């Protein structure tokens, strides 16, 4: 495998919810850790480390029975106390977890009707930290030290995994591979699976490579703060929103690997995103701009846009925002993201002029629309009325909450982007979840039929037979 990320963290406690880095961390963690439950593509919850669960009538108390006979990869038996130690640091302060016999109990002052959606996604993995600090899990693979250095992660098959041995013997992950080089490696047979950047997806398909794309799982948008006076003017924010050509961003910059976004949550997650609409209306944007002070977001003091995510794609989106705004006579200056120099001693730097708007990227990690919306609101300080019921999973109430925030124009969705991967011709049983999980324990590789050294030798009747399947350990996957 070849991925774009230069580094990976396998400790869920270190992950920043919503960050692009968490997407890669999650995929690597799926190899060595497992969750209590899983959600299949038909919307059914499946038992994993929990065999059964129940809750009281108020959804404030949940009990999960932990699967017996499961061992961590270091040989230690999984017990309910391990589950409590792993999950409690990841839970909100309002939710408490305790062990009771062969079960664990979630207790909260507020209802938790979507607890299964939360526990089947995101960083809610069960793990056990070793004395060295490295966590071990119960999953299909074991992280092994790689002799090739920090640019590689080597995962070996867990022969004693309770769910059965995975089909492949090992997965060698190369980190920090540039997108174009990764595609060349796939074409040359040097890689079996790669991450594809949006601009390379059409090119990969034209080259007859196998390409798979998820549902849109990353939101790009603009968020405003009051660091600049112009950013606090709701009329300017509305004019800027009307000037944005989201269709061009999705279809040209992102090569049709994204969709224009009018909502914070995508349709596949919320079910109501189609109710939000946002159209480009340049004439209306110009009209609103003429009603604003001439010196607001003008050439002398432009509205400064800081691009927070790294990478060329985010920078291109920021520049496109500035071009669209200029057509409505709104001056936007794109500010480069500050990148600290490696190994440089910290020194006081001159204070940069404040930025009134930020281009952000948000990776959806939870299968609970309510939890995802809560995380996004908290990350970007999007305030709500105090009477809002923050625990409700009712879609009408979630829609109303999102609509109130969007009406304030403090955040402007731009596009939602899918993830794409390129697959080698020998990869079989690639059956990922549509929200981006890869399920690599089920994948196997078709190896070419060996050629006999002496084709004239006819004494061995099986020399030209089809390849036989590998022998697997008792209890392995069929």
């Amino acid at each position: 495998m070849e991925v774009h990320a230069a580094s990976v963290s396998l400790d869920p406690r270190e992950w920043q919810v919503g960050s692009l880095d968490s997407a890669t961390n999650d995929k690597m963690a799926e190899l060595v850790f497992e969750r209590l439950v899983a959600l299949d593509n038909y919307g059914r919850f499946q038992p994993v480390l929990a065999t059964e669960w129940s809750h009281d009538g108020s959804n404030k108390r949940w009990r999960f029975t932990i699967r017996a006979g499961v061992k961590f990869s270091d040989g230690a038996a999984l017990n309910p106390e391990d589950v409590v130690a792993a999950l409690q640091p990841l839970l909100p302060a309002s939710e408490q977890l305790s062990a009771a016999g062969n079960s664990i109990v979630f207790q909260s002052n507020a209802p938790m009707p979507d607890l299964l959606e939360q526990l089947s996604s995101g960083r809610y993995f069960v793990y056990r930290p070793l004395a060295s600090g490295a966590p071990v899990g119960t999953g299909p693979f074991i992280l092994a030290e790689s002799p090739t250095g920090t640019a590689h992660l080597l995962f070996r098959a867990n022969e004693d995994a309770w769910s059965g041995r995975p089909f492949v013997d090992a997965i060698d992950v190369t980190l920090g591979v540039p997108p174009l080089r990764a595609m060349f490696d796939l074409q040359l047979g040097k890689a079996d699976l790669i991450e594809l950047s949006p601009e390379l997806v059409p090119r990969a398909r034209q080259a007859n490579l196998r390409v798979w794309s998820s549902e849109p799982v990353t939101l790009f948008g603009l968020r405003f703060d009051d660091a600049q006076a112009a950013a606090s003017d709701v009329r300017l924010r509305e004019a800027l929103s009307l000037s944005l050509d989201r269709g061009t961003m999705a279809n040209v910059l992102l090569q049709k690997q994204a969709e224009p976004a009018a909502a914070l949550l995508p349709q596949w997650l919320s079910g109501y995103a189609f109710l939000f609409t946002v159209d480009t209306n340049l004439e209306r944007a110009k009209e609103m701009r003429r009603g604003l002070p001439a010196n607001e977001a003008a050439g002398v003091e432009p509205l400064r846009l800081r691009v927070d995510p790294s990478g060329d794609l985010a920078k291109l989106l920021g520049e496109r925002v500035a071009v669209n705004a200029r057509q409505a006579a709104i001056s936007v200056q794109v500010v480069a993201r500050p990148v600290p120099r490696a190994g440089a001693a910290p020194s006081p730097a001159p204070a940069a002029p404040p930025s009134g708007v930020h281009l952000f990227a948000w990776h959806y990690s939870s299968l609970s629309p309510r939890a995802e919306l809560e995380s996004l609101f908290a990350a970007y300080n999007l305030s709500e009325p105090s009477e809002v019921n923050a625990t409700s999973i009712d879609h009408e109430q979630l829609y109303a909450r999102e609509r109130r925030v969007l009406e304030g124009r403090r955040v402007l969705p731009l596009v939602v982007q899918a993830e794409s991967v390129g697959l080698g011709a020998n990869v079989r049983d690639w059956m990922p979840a549509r929200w981006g999980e890869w399920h690599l324990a089920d994948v196997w590789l078709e190896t070419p039929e060996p050629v006999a050294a002496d084709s004239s030798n006819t004494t061995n009747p099986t020399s030209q037979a089809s390849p036989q399947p590998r022998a697997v350990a008792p209890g392995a996957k069929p």
Side-chain angles (χ1 to χ4, degrees):
M1 284 171 47
E2 294 183 351
V3 299
H4 303 331
S7 63
V8 168
S9 169
L10 290 180
D11 190 339
R13 295 167 296 184
E14 299 176 353
W15 300 358
Q16 181 181 352
V17 177
S19 69
L20 297 182
D21 291 339
S22 68
T24 305
N25 295 338
D26 193 306
K27 289 178 175 60
M28 298 299 103
E30 287 168 8
L31 299 176
V32 293
F33 306 142
E34 292 174 305
R35 300 184 178 96
L36 292 177
V37 294
L39 184 68
D40 65 21
N41 280 330
Y42 298 98
R44 300 172 302 200
F45 290 102
Q46 303 293 340
V48 185
L49 293 180
T51 56
E52 57 184 11
W53 48 87
S54 60
H55 59 82
D56 62 6
S58 65
N59 284 307
K60 294 181 180 180
R61 182 181 177 86
W62 287 71
R63 178 183 290 269
F64 291 80
T65 302
I66 303 303
R67 185 181 296 274
V70 177
K71 293 184 178 181
F72 288 101
S73 58
D74 64 348
L78 171 71
N79 58 58
E81 288 75 17
D82 293 319
V83 180
V84 171
L87 296 183
Q88 185 65 73
L90 309 178
L91 294 172
S94 59
E95 299 177 15
Q96 296 300 313
L97 190 54
S98 60
N102 64 339
S103 303
I104 60 169
V105 176
F106 288 83
Q107 183 70 52
S108 175
N109 294 328
M112 302 178 289
D114 54 350
L115 184 61
L116 292 177
E117 284 88 345
Q118 295 180 62
L119 295 178
S120 61
S121 57
R123 59 180 184 161
Y124 293 105
F125 289 104
V126 175
Y127 59 92
R128 188 170 66 85
L130 298 176
S132 62
V136 295
T138 61
F141 293 91
I142 302 171
L143 178 63
E145 286 193 24
S146 174
T148 53
T150 57
H152 284 258
L153 294 174
L154 183 62
F155 297 89
R156 297 196 181 279
N158 183 359
E159 303 287 347
D160 300 319
W162 69 270
S163 57
R165 184 195 189 279
F167 292 111
V168 296
D169 298 322
I171 297 179
D172 185 356
V173 182
T174 305
L175 305 174
V177 182
L180 189 58
R181 197 189 91 189
M183 194 176 80
F184 288 153
D185 287 347
L186 183 66
Q187 289 175 302
L188 295 173
K190 295 181 178 180
D192 300 306
L193 187 153
I194 66 168
E195 289 182 324
L196 274 173
S197 55
E199 71 275 9
L200 292 179
V201 171
R203 183 171 172 177
R205 289 192 170 124
Q206 290 171 2
N208 292 321
L209 295 176
R210 294 171 62 194
V211 176
W212 173 84
S213 297
S214 69
E215 295 282 359
V217 292
T218 301
L219 168 70
F220 287 93
L222 303 177
R223 60 181 181 88
F224 296 85
D225 57 39
D226 295 332
Q228 281 187 272
S232 63
D233 192 329
V234 66
R235 297 169 300 170
L236 179 69
R237 299 198 298 264
E238 183 176 358
L240 179 60
S241 177
L242 291 170
S243 72
L244 299 175
D245 187 353
R246 295 169 174 84
T248 297
M249 295 178 190
N251 297 325
V252 179
L253 293 184
L254 290 166
Q255 295 290 297
K256 297 184 179 180
Q257 303 309 303
E259 302 171 2
L264 295 175
L265 298 184
Q267 175 65 24
W268 67 266
L269 181 58
S270 72
Y272 58 72
F274 70 95
L275 296 174
F276 292 98
T277 58
V278 58
D279 298 318
T280 303
N281 190 335
L282 193 56
E283 293 305 314
R284 174 59 179 160
K286 291 178 180 178
E287 180 183 344
M288 294 188 68
R289 177 67 184 91
R290 287 193 291 268
L292 298 174
N295 62 344
E296 187 173 273
V300 176
E301 180 68 18
L303 184 64
R304 283 180 287 273
L305 166 61
R306 197 181 82 176
V307 178
D308 290 337
S310 59
D312 294 337
L313 174 59
K315 183 180 178 183
L316 287 172
L317 284 172
E319 292 171 350
R320 173 58 61 174
V321 168
V323 169
N324 290 160
R326 193 178 306 123
Q327 294 173 329
I330 301 172
S331 179
V332 173
Q333 177 187 359
V334 179
V335 179
R337 180 175 181 265
V339 179
R341 291 180 299 169
S347 58
S355 299
V357 59
H358 300 253
L359 190 144
F360 70 90
W362 181 270
H363 178 77
Y364 304 114
S365 60
S366 179
L367 293 175
S368 162
R370 182 204 60 80
E372 195 65 45
L373 206 59
E374 285 288 315
S375 297
L376 204 152
F377 285 176
Y380 299 128
N381 297 318
L382 301 174
S383 59
E384 297 184 272
S386 57
E387 67 272 11
V388 166
N389 180 5
T391 64
S392 173
I393 61 171
D394 180 76
H395 284 252
E396 289 187 9
Q397 293 194 36
L398 290 175
Y399 166 73
R401 293 177 62 190
E402 190 169 342
R403 179 173 53 80
R404 278 194 294 266
V405 167
L406 290 174
E407 284 176 348
R409 303 293 197 284
R410 281 288 178 181
V411 59
L412 303 179
L414 296 178
V415 294
V416 283
Q417 176 196 338
E419 288 180 343
S420 298
V421 300
L423 300 166
N426 61 338
V427 176
R428 295 291 180 267
D429 279 0
W430 171 254
M431 296 182 292
R434 59 192 181 98
W435 51 86
E437 291 184 354
W438 286 354
H439 301 168
L440 293 180
D442 299 325
V443 169
W444 57 279
L445 300 178
E446 185 176 57
T447 54
E449 181 179 344
V451 179
D454 183 0
S455 60
S456 64
N457 180 3
T458 60
T459 60
N460 182 2
T462 62
S463 61
Q464 298 298 320
S466 300
Q468 297 299 309
R470 288 184 196 166
V472 296
K477 298 176 186 295

